[in-house]
Amino acid sequence: MASASLLALLDDIAALMDDVSILTKVAARKAAGVLGDDLAVNAEKVTGVPAERELPVVFAVFKGSLINKCILVPSALLISAVAPWLITPLLIGGGLFLCYEGFEKVWHSLTHRGHQNQPEPSEEEAVERMEKLLEASGTDPVEQERKKINGAIRTDFILSAEIIVITLGVAGDASLAVRAAVLSTIALAMTVGVYGLVAGIVKIDDLGLRWVRRDSAAEGDTVWGTLGRGLLAIAPRFMRLLTFVGTVAMFLVGGGIVVHGVHSVHAVLESLLHMTGMTTGLAHSIAEQVFAGLLGVVLGAIVVLLINTGRRLLPAS
């Protein structure tokens, strides 16, 4: 009897872990858009920080992100237990926010194209420029760093909330134990993954500079020098690519959330796919992603227009 009970318990645990694994993979794919944006935003937050302070700043934001997750995960579990009907509206709201952020980035890029054509300053120039601004304003560098960390943690809270809401939308119908396990796994994995990658990204140029200096000390063209110059050339391009991919993913994920969350929009998509004959296979998947991306752009434009209009009208009222 005891052995049968133990086998039944082990079977239940195995089934639970299997459900957690499947739902975690699905949630990770859906949260990919926020992950790309999270990487780009947090890597950008460290720009202008002296090289020796980059990793301490990343670690400070990492600790703040863990605190954010400790607040958000129990809150999400409470909502799913007390008011599960809120999950879909919150999910759609998160999708609209992703579309808004994505379109705002695109609009900012288009309206500031002239500034983008200027050469980007090197790390030494950026730090020197910041130090001059600090001297002119009389701001304490320690206080300035603290403000930068607090701003990054606030941004992380918004992005983390989007990840948790997306995950809750995937695991909302599962048992409480499965929801808790999936949310905790995604929260921890995303936090460690994002800030581990951010730490690596912000040190790419430092590693390249070190190898170039090593090459100069050797008074010859070595493999290290070639690799170092390659890293220095790749670093800014990689950041731009990361920002671009993150923005595209925000439209895809945000639009996809709205497509699957609003029945009438999903019905329109299915009707279009049926009329074009793309009902199955790779063509169906590609068409669905294209529709979600275009919808994300349109929704983002509408939200940006509404917010900008509201900002103009509020001061006048």
Side-chain angles (χ1 to χ4, degrees), residues 38-150:
D38 209 353
L39 278 172
V41 168
N42 283 287
E44 185 180 2
K45 288 288 183 182
V46 188
T47 303
V49 175
E52 67 275 7
R53 294 298 304 162
E54 285 178 342
L55 291 183
V57 168
V58 172
F59 184 66
V61 180
F62 167 75
K63 290 190 293 184
S65 180
L66 286 178
I67 295 174
N68 288 340
K69 304 299 193 304
C70 289
I71 297 171
L72 290 167
V73 170
S75 300
L77 290 173
L78 180 63
I79 289 173
S80 65
V82 176
W85 55 270
L86 271 176
I87 295 177
T88 299
L90 287 174
L91 196 60
I92 294 174
L96 290 175
F97 185 79
L98 280 174
C99 298
Y100 160 74
E101 278 201 324
F103 191 83
E104 191 178 42
K105 283 186 177 184
V106 173
W107 184 252
H108 183 272
S109 175
L110 293 175
T111 54
H112 293 74
R113 180 171 293 180
H115 298 287
Q116 289 182 343
N117 292 331
Q118 299 176 0
E120 295 185 2
S122 64
E123 181 186 354
E124 290 81 359
E125 291 172 340
V127 172
E128 183 180 356
R129 184 180 302 173
M130 177 168 286
E131 289 175 349
K132 289 181 179 179
L133 290 173
L134 291 175
E135 291 176 2
S137 62
T139 305
D140 183 8
V142 176
E143 178 67 16
Q144 187 71 16
E145 182 178 297
R146 187 184 66 81
K147 290 181 179 179
K148 183 180 284 287
I149 291 171
N150 290 339

Side-chain angles (χ1 to χ4, degrees):
M1 182 67 69
S3 60
S5 299
L6 178 60
L7 289 175
L9 176 61
L10 292 176
D11 186 62
D12 291 341
I13 293 175
L16 176 68
M17 296 305 296
D18 188 51
D19 291 341
V20 170
S21 175
I22 293 172
L23 291 175
T24 299
K25 290 177 182 178
V26 175
R29 285 198 297 269
K30 287 184 175 292
V34 187
L35 178 63
D37 188 53
D38 209 353
L39 278 172
V41 168
N42 283 287
E44 185 180 2
K45 288 288 183 182
V46 188
T47 303
V49 175
E52 67 275 7
R53 294 298 304 162
E54 285 178 342
L55 291 183
V57 168
V58 172
F59 184 66
V61 180
F62 167 75
K63 290 190 293 184
S65 180
L66 286 178
I67 295 174
N68 288 340
K69 304 299 193 304
C70 289
I71 297 171
L72 290 167
V73 170
S75 300
L77 290 173
L78 180 63
I79 289 173
S80 65
V82 176
W85 55 270
L86 271 176
I87 295 177
T88 299
L90 287 174
L91 196 60
I92 294 174
L96 290 175
F97 185 79
L98 280 174
C99 298
Y100 160 74
E101 278 201 324
F103 191 83
E104 191 178 42
K105 283 186 177 184
V106 173
W107 184 252
H108 183 272
S109 175
L110 293 175
T111 54
H112 293 74
R113 180 171 293 180
H115 298 287
Q116 289 182 343
N117 292 331
Q118 299 176 0
E120 295 185 2
S122 64
E123 181 186 354
E124 290 81 359
E125 291 172 340
V127 172
E128 183 180 356
R129 184 180 302 173
M130 177 168 286
E131 289 175 349
K132 289 181 179 179
L133 290 173
L134 291 175
E135 291 176 2
S137 62
T139 305
D140 183 8
V142 176
E143 178 67 16
Q144 187 71 16
E145 182 178 297
R146 187 184 66 81
K147 290 181 179 179
K148 183 180 284 287
I149 291 171
N150 290 339
I153 292 174
R154 285 194 297 269
T155 302
D156 174 89
F157 187 88
I158 297 173
L159 295 172
S160 297
E162 294 178 53
I163 291 172
I164 295 301
V165 169
I166 290 172
T167 305
L168 190 61
V170 172
D173 295 330
S175 65
L176 179 61
V178 172
R179 288 200 304 270
V182 172
L183 285 170
S184 301
T185 302
I186 286 291
L188 184 59
M190 288 291 186
T191 305
V192 173
V194 165
Y195 289 99
L197 288 172
V198 168
I201 290 170
V202 300
K203 301 307 289 184
I204 287 178
D205 51 353
D206 291 339
L207 181 61
L209 187 60
R210 180 181 300 178
W211 284 348
V212 168
R213 287 172 177 170
R214 180 176 177 176
D215 181 64
S216 300
E219 297 182 353
D221 190 10
T222 65
V223 175
W224 296 111
T226 303
L227 290 174
R229 285 186 288 272
L231 286 179
L232 290 174
I234 288 172
R237 292 178 174 84
F238 179 72
M239 279 298 300
R240 287 195 292 269
L241 176 63
L242 188 62
T243 302
F244 172 77
V245 172
T247 303
V248 172
M250 289 169 76
F251 288 129
L252 292 175
V253 174
I257 289 173
V258 175
V259 167
H260 295 289
V262 181
H263 177 73
S264 57
V265 176
H266 188 264
V268 170
L269 170 61
E270 290 300 323
S271 298
L272 290 174
L273 292 177
H274 183 73
M275 286 189 298
T276 56
M278 294 182 291
T279 55
T280 58
L282 181 61
H284 176 272
S285 300
I286 293 175
E288 191 174 32
Q289 290 296 315
V290 171
F291 181 86
L294 293 175
L295 178 65
V297 174
V298 173
L299 291 174
I302 293 173
V303 176
V304 168
L305 178 62
L306 291 175
I307 290 177
N308 289 341
T309 301
R311 286 172 178 171
R312 292 191 185 97
L313 294 178
L314 283 178
S317 59

